[in-house]
């Protein structure tokens, strides 16, 4: 892989693609792990007297729109606090200048060509500065214009220090095939996570499901899930996975008539009513036992709507169980990192990755396009 340490950046301008897709509420950054993770690269560039324009995505805005909800402004403000300097937020690529040491470009997904990897946009990005540095491990599984596209189009591109650290650490962790390995997959992105579970079954003995994805499994196994989040198109796929007998489902869940109702009840998975939705789950004694005896744990995705106290217990208990297990534990994902910060001491997790989807694909042994474009090989 082409590395920053081997690349001439002295006195140069740099376009630095990072993953600043952090949890934000009311204009405030809730967890800055992903921001702090790019400091070594930024510090090195500053020492090399380079000028850096940061590029990142934030959430999933409709391409071509610039909904304020998806603005990187809260991130720019947090960067200002961390670096104690003014951070300009450029509204478009045309506005970018390198008068300051560090600046930020507004959400790259506002640009219509980003997610479709438009060649005009990737070419524009690749010519923005002397060097294109990719340090967005969390976006390395995407073939977008600012990831794979710009790396390919650039005359001089390399991986930043975070990417180097993440790939080194994860390779080391995955080389040791310790049994039993338990994977825990929660969160809300049903289709992409079901795909991940399929591959994780090759590197783990069992997969414990949680959060929104569990609902699809529960429905596939004949349970009523009321108004819960579910992807009906994935039911058959879920049935195939259940047939492996390696999927662990919850026994009891926390349900409510709505997320905002302020009321909830715990019930068995076969007692969910038509007008109820599953918003959290109870960590079963069986699951606790599996976590306690595992030699390796791979965790991505909260098992409930943990951002709300009423539905946070399952994720809190899960995080605590992983923290007290003697297993080598790997965890990753934007919301997963926030849950770790909220409920446990991060030092009790062996390795925390800044990637969510990318982290899962990496540990599955999949080829990640943006890493391959940088010359990375397993
Ligand atoms: P990560 O960022 O760690 O990869 P995801 O983005 O996939 O995780 O999912 C996190 C989100 O999933 C959280 O915001 C949480 O509120 C939501 N979630 C968890 N359980 C449920 C559920 N039962 N129903 C709806 N959303 C859920
Ligand atoms: Mg997320």
């Amino acid at each position: 892989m082409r590395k920053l340490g081997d690349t001439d950046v002295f006195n140069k301008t740099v376009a630095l693609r990072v993953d600043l897709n952090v949890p934000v509420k009311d204009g405030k950054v809730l967890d800055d792990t992903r921001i702090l993770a790019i400091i070594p690269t930024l510090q090195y560039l500053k020492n090399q007297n380079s000028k850096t324009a940061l590029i990142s995505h934030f959430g999933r805005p409709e391409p071509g729109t610039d909904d304020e909800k998806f603005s990187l402004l809260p991130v720019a403000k947090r960067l200002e606090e961390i670096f104690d300097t003014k951070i300009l937020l450029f509204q478009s690529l045309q506005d970018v200048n390198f008068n300051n040491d560090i600046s930020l470009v507004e959400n790259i997904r506002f640009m219509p060509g980003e997610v479709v990897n438009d060649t005009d946009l990737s070419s524009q990005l690749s010519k923005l500065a002397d060097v294109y540095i990719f340090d967005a491990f969390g976006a390395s599984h995407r073939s977008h214009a600012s990831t794979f596209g710009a790396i390919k189009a650039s005359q001089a591109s390399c991986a930043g220090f975070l990417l180097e650290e993440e790939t080194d650490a994860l390779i080391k962790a995955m080389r040791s095939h310790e049994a039993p390995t338990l994977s825990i997959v929660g969160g809300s992105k049903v289709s992409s996570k079901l795909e991940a579970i399929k591959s994780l079954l090759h590197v783990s003995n069992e997969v414990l499901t949680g959060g929104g994805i569990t609902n699809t499994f529960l429905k596939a196994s004949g349970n009523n899930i009321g108004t819960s989040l579910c992807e009906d198109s994935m039911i058959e796929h879920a049935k195939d996975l259940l047939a492996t007998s390696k999927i662990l489902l919850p026994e009891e869940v926390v349900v409510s008539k709505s997320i905002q109702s302020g009321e909830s009840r715990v019930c068995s998975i076969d007692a969910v009513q038509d007008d109820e939705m599953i918003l959290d789950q109870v960590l079963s004694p069986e699951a606790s036992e599996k976590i306690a005896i595992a030699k390796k744990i791979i965790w991505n995705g909260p098992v409930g709507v943990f951002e709300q106290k009423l539905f946070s217990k399952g994720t809190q208990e899960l995080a605590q169980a992983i923290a007290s297990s003697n297993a080598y534990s790997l965890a990753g994902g934007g919301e997963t990192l926030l849950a770790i910060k909220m409920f446990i001491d991060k030092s009790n997790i062996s390795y925390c990755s800044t990637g969510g989807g990318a982290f899962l694909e990496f540990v599955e042994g999949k080829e990640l396009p943006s890493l391959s474009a940088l010359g990375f090989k397993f």
Side-chain angles (χ1 to χ4, degrees), residues 79-347:
L79 281 166
E80 287 188 339
E81 286 164 14
I82 292 171
F83 291 102
D84 194 21
T85 177
K86 174 93 196 126
I87 304 282
L88 287 178
L89 179 63
F90 298 120
Q91 295 304 312
S92 77
L93 294 181
Q94 285 71 37
D95 298 335
V96 173
N97 65 59
F98 291 90
N99 298 339
N100 295 6
D101 284 347
I102 307 168
S103 53
L104 177 65
V105 180
E106 187 52 285
N107 193 351
I108 194 70
R109 286 194 187 160
F110 284 168
M111 292 166 207
E114 169 64 0
V115 298
V116 291
N117 189 15
D118 174 68
T119 45
D120 284 341
L121 181 58
S122 51
S123 155
Q124 235 180 310
L125 284 161
S126 71
K127 294 191 187 102
L128 197 65
D130 300 325
V131 187
Y132 198 82
I133 302 180
F134 186 76
D135 216 7
F137 180 71
S140 57
H141 57 320
R142 308 256 181 239
S143 286
H144 291 174
S146 69
T147 62
F148 177 83
I151 296 168
K152 278 285 187 195
S154 173
Q155 294 283 343
S157 65
C158 68
F161 291 143
L162 174 65
L163 208 71
E164 214 182 313
E165 186 202 301
E166 290 263 20
T167 49
D168 284 353
L170 291 176
I171 282 180
K172 209 168 132 229
M174 295 320 292
R175 287 228 168 106
S176 62
H177 291 288
E178 287 180 279
T181 290
L182 176 68
S183 290
I184 302 164
V185 184
S188 53
K189 298 163 201 155
V190 183
S191 43
S192 63
K193 302 240 176 162
L194 284 194
E195 204 46 58
I197 290 174
K198 194 171 166 190
S199 310
L200 282 171
L201 285 171
H202 299 300
V203 294
S204 32
N205 300 77
E206 276 177 306
V207 178
L208 174 70
T209 68
I213 25 183
T214 296
N215 306 338
T216 305
F217 283 106
L218 290 174
K219 189 164 179 183
S221 51
N223 292 288
N224 180 17
I225 57 163
T227 58
S228 306
L229 175 81
C230 176
E231 253 177 60
D232 283 325
S233 61
M234 302 305 285
I235 297 274
E236 288 309 311
H237 191 80
K239 280 186 185 162
D240 292 344
L241 291 172
L242 285 169
T244 64
S245 313
K246 289 165 122 193
I247 307 287
L248 279 176
L249 296 179
E251 289 156 20
E252 285 183 314
V253 287
V254 180
V255 295
S256 176
K257 296 232 160 62
S258 81
I259 292 194
Q260 295 85 10
S261 78
E263 280 173 34
S264 68
R265 69 178 187 106
V266 175
C267 71
S268 159
I269 51 166
D270 54 14
V272 179
Q273 302 299 303
D274 290 345
D275 60 349
E276 290 177 323
M277 54 171 79
I278 303 168
L279 293 167
D280 194 15
Q281 65 196 46
V282 178
L283 190 68
S284 69
E286 190 196 357
S288 300
E289 175 65 11
K290 305 244 175 195
I291 292 169
I293 61 163
K295 286 272 164 41
K296 186 149 79 181
I297 294 173
I298 301 167
W299 175 31
N300 166 254
V303 296
V305 183
F306 74 104
E307 295 93 337
Q308 295 195 33
K309 190 134 199 340
L310 205 53
F311 311 113
S312 65
K313 198 159 170 253
T315 303
Q316 178 165 16
E317 284 176 355
L318 173 71
Q320 285 165 344
I322 298 172
S324 5
S325 161
N326 288 324
Y328 184 90
S329 50
L330 289 161
E335 268 78 31
T336 306
L337 292 176
L338 173 61
I340 289 170
K341 182 178 158 171
M342 281 165 67
F343 304 131
I344 54 171
D345 185 346
K346 194 178 161 193
S347 65

Side-chain angles (χ1 to χ4, degrees), residues 7-27:
T7 305
D8 180 13
V9 288
F10 186 70
N11 266 339
K12 301 233 184 294
T13 57
V14 170
L16 177 59
R17 175 58 162 102
V18 285
D19 181 0
L20 301 178
N21 187 28
V22 292
V24 167
K25 199 179 173 196
D26 303 329

Side-chain angles (χ1 to χ4, degrees), residues 36-106:
L36 302 178
I38 62 166
I39 291 180
T41 298
L42 279 175
Q43 201 59 52
Y44 178 82
L45 292 173
K46 192 157 187 272
N47 295 344
Q48 292 282 316
N49 208 32
S50 356
K51 306 279 183 206
T52 305
L54 295 164
I55 297 161
S56 177
H57 71 283
F58 182 73
R60 295 178 173 198
E62 199 53 48
T65 65
D66 56 0
D67 187 345
E68 201 191 343
K69 204 168 79 202
F70 296 107
S71 169
L72 276 168
L73 188 61
V75 175
K77 286 190 185 145
R78 187 73 192 104
L79 281 166
E80 287 188 339
E81 286 164 14
I82 292 171
F83 291 102
D84 194 21
T85 177
K86 174 93 196 126
I87 304 282
L88 287 178
L89 179 63
F90 298 120
Q91 295 304 312
S92 77
L93 294 181
Q94 285 71 37
D95 298 335
V96 173
N97 65 59
F98 291 90
N99 298 339
N100 295 6
D101 284 347
I102 307 168
S103 53
L104 177 65
V105 180
E106 187 52 285

